[in-house]
Amino acid sequence: MMFLAIIILVSEFCLVISNEQPKISPIPTRTLSKTGKQATFSCHLEQGNLPVDFKWLKGNDEIRSSENIVIDTSKRISGLMIKSLATADTGNYSCLVSNSFGSDVSTFQLIVEGPPQWLAKPQDIRVGPRERFNIQCSGIGYPPANVLWKKLVDSDWRDLFEATKSFTKISPTEISGSQLMKDQDEGKYGCEITNGIEPNLWTEFQVKISGKFYLNFLL
């Protein structure tokens, strides 16, 4: 009876040991690359019961195979390949592995160095002289992008905040305008985004002041 009890205990112990949740090898926490380059990442199962399910995430969104992305998965390994990197591929990525007994995750950061790309581009705007309005101009890139606001004065592009006092900077990517004067503030404006890697981004937009509201304002 004692021998039988030992066998049963050993069997139960082995069953518990075999019911393992997955554990994956850590992926390097930070990868720096450049636009146009290829990036590959591997997710290795160190231990855990099969079968397991691999998922690749960018932020909270699942990554799926596409023309530019290849995901190749076997029983214990999953590979992620981005064929040609773009600035927009910068972000936090994760490999998530799960089985019937639990899950494990390894998270890493991918930074793609390259020229800035547009996030928000200002458009032409028509306002009244008393109207307050905001304009956004922003881009994404690494190194981080800088935004320069400009105004065309006598065929010369000047720093916006030196050319007029009608605008204030809310943030590096957003300005606010109010109490505009038609003869001083109506005209062409520009926004330049640069991070030290060519080409820079440049766009122009018109600010027009409604004559009707302007006359009412004078009255």
Side-chain angles (χ1 to χ4, degrees):
M1 294 294 293
M2 179 68 69
F3 179 70
L4 181 59
I6 292 174
I7 292 177
I8 294 174
L9 287 173
V10 170
S11 299
E12 290 178 351
F13 178 76
C14 291
L15 181 61
V16 171
I17 293 297
S18 66
N19 292 343
E20 290 183 324
Q21 67 181 43
K23 180 181 179 182
I24 54 179
S25 301
I27 301 172
T29 56
R30 188 173 184 267
T31 298
L32 178 63
S33 190
K34 295 184 178 182
T35 55
K37 297 290 185 179
Q38 179 179 291
T40 58
F41 306 94
S42 295
C43 192
H44 298 260
L45 180 69
E46 285 188 349
Q47 64 185 54
N49 284 54
L50 297 175
V52 296
D53 178 49
F54 288 92
K55 286 185 179 179
W56 290 94
L57 306 172
K58 182 183 180 187
N60 295 320
D61 299 323
E62 184 175 356
I63 303 172
R64 300 185 184 279
S65 294
S66 65
E67 184 176 345
N68 193 47
I69 295 176
V70 176
I71 298 175
D72 188 14
T73 301
S74 63
K75 289 183 178 181
R76 293 185 173 273
I77 301 175
S78 182
L80 169 68
M81 180 175 68
I82 304 175
K83 295 180 182 179
S84 180
L85 289 169
T87 306
D89 292 318
T90 294
N92 293 320
Y93 290 74
S94 300
C95 175
L96 175 65
V97 183
S98 59
N99 64 11
S100 301
F101 308 104
S103 63
D104 192 20
V105 63
S106 182
T107 299
F108 60 96
Q109 183 181 35
L110 172 62
I111 299 174
V112 182
E113 186 180 76
Q117 296 179 349
W118 284 112
L119 284 180
K121 186 185 295 187
Q123 304 295 324
D124 293 346
I125 187 171
R126 179 181 292 274
V127 296
R130 292 182 178 179
E131 184 178 351
R132 178 177 292 276
F133 59 95
N134 293 354
I135 301 176
Q136 290 187 339
C137 181
S138 61
I140 184 173
Y142 187 87
N146 297 313
V147 180
L148 300 175
W149 297 92
K150 298 184 180 183
K151 184 179 189 300
L152 186 63
V153 180
D154 298 328
S155 71
D156 182 33
W157 286 103
R158 295 177 53 190
D159 178 89
L160 171 63
F161 305 104
E162 294 178 359
T164 177
K165 303 300 181 183
S166 300
F167 291 86
T168 56
K169 183 181 290 187
I170 298 176
S171 72
T173 61
E174 186 173 11
I175 59 174
S176 175
S178 64
Q179 302 296 327
L180 269 61
M181 302 292 291
K182 189 176 182 69
D183 57 341
Q184 297 179 12
D185 299 314
E186 187 171 76
K188 185 174 289 187
Y189 293 76
C191 172
E192 183 177 25
I193 299 179
T194 176
N195 68 348
I197 302 177
E198 301 288 345
N200 298 335
L201 298 180
W202 169 259
T203 188
E204 300 173 9
F205 59 98
Q206 293 278 351
V207 174
K208 297 183 179 181
I209 301 173
S210 171
K212 179 179 179 180
F213 287 106
Y214 181 70
L215 294 174
N216 290 341
F217 176 62
L218 291 178
L219 295 174

